[in-house]
Amino acid sequence: MAMALREAELAYEEDEVPVGAVVVFDNRIIGRGHNRTRQLHDASAHAEMIALSAAYNHFGDWRLENCTLFSTLEPCAMCSGAAVLSRIKTIVFGAKDPKFGACGSIFEIPTDQRLNHRIEIIGGVMADEIAALMRQFFAHVRKGKEQLN
């Protein structure tokens, strides 16, 4: 999770919402990413999606069986769905996302019995550090908006 947090810090430095993700196979990072939605003008450029894409390239396949996705923030419906389709074994996330979280907060996509693949979910890893980074970022954003008014 420390490497995912480092990715989140890179997003922060790029003025993106500070979310980072890594995909791990056999204790090696095979994909990494951080939010780039503003930079790329792409709503799908979430940290998890970028990390998953890098992992697909590593294997030359879309199946990521026996891989773990680490994300600093609870994945949304899009990212959770991509993880299910990729056959990710485990999702480990830090802070819960009460507005968009799809690993238990709003939806439970990775464990939905109606789907053909289910993912083990582990939440709350380094949640305090990650939540502090998120609060700091959004305080900075609010302060910037106040200065514009």
Side-chain angles (χ1 to χ4, degrees), residues 59-76:
F59 284 123
D61 193 3
W62 56 269
R63 290 178 191 87
L64 300 176
E65 296 166 342
N66 299 312
C67 291
T68 300
L69 172 64
F70 290 84
S71 179
T72 57
L73 187 65
E74 179 183 359
C76 70

Side-chain angles (χ1 to χ4, degrees), residues 20-34:
V22 295
V23 176
V24 174
F25 177 74
D26 280 346
N27 294 316
R28 282 189 27 237
I29 293 174
I30 61 166
R32 64 179 66 233
H34 56 273

